Amino acid sequence: MSSYITKLDELFPDGRSVIFAFDHGFEHGPEDFSYRMTRDLVKKIVESGVDGIMLLPGLARIYKEIWFRKTNLVLKLTSKTNLRPESQRFLQSPVGYVEEAIDLGATAVAATVYWGAPEEDLMIERWMSIRKEANRLGIPCIQLAYPRGPHIENRYDFKIVAYGVRAAIESGADAIKTYYTGSYETFKKVVDVAEGVPVLMAGGPKAKDFLSFLRQIKECLEAGCKGVAVGRNIFQNENPAKAAKAIIRVVHDELEPEEAIKV
Ligand code: FBP
């Protein structure tokens, strides 16, 4: 069996995965975590038992003793800042290398493609060179398949999300992270077009209440998704470690959201 398939199993220990995404300092700016030092916060979340942590290379190095041998690193290799003019935010740039992921001991690499963006062509090229290197070095490649661009009116429209997911599998993604489309029926269509490639639900902005967020996760799992890659709904929660644990209980232990939130 090729090594990258085996590696993907580490991230999906029972076929499902809970990944803590923490690339927001670059992608949104430190305002997302109120300009705090985040070392203790990240340590507690890792200790809660998440299957993986998604970081950019700099933080992956700085926090190595927090995640190394404790959880799986997903090294994200593209990003963009919100300091750019708004019209130029539909492009992710390279911020790391596949070899760096191997050196660090990462389990997988990840990259975003904004399907439908004016610079889609360039992002496909970047995705392809990451995938080529990842295949050569035997590490799985997760695609954040995010349809977005000035002419995409509703990026959560299931027809558009499903198109992005289909484009992700056809461009060789080993797993996909994408937006929740608002209902079981629509998300099922999104998962079905992935042809068995694992789909993870992206968390999105902090939900009004955490119980509804857990219910949303449950709905996605019922629709066939294989887990979540969540950032803000964990680290912006009043009790991030507890939030992560509740998500783990819904995803892995199949607890009802009402039960998971109590524990
Ligand atoms: P969230 O759960 O906070 O949405 O994190 C997932 C993620 O994909 C991050 O990896 C990324 O930084 C962020 O969302 C992108 O958010 P936006 O939708 O604002 O571009």
Side-chain angles (χ1 to χ4, degrees), residues 21 23-24 27-28 54 144 146 148 177 203-204 229-232:
D23 54 335
H24 301 69
E27 198 129 319
H28 296 159
M54 191 173 80
L144 281 69
Y146 286 176
R148 151 176 334 194
K177 170 178 165 184
V230 175
R232 288 163 285 183

Side-chain angles (χ1 to χ4, degrees), residues 82-101:
N82 276 349
L83 296 171
R84 285 182 187 176
E86 225 158 296
S87 61
Q88 289 167 33
R89 290 185 200 160
F90 301 123
L91 173 66
Q92 293 242 337
S93 309
V95 292
Y97 304 92
V98 180
E99 274 187 359
E100 204 173 4

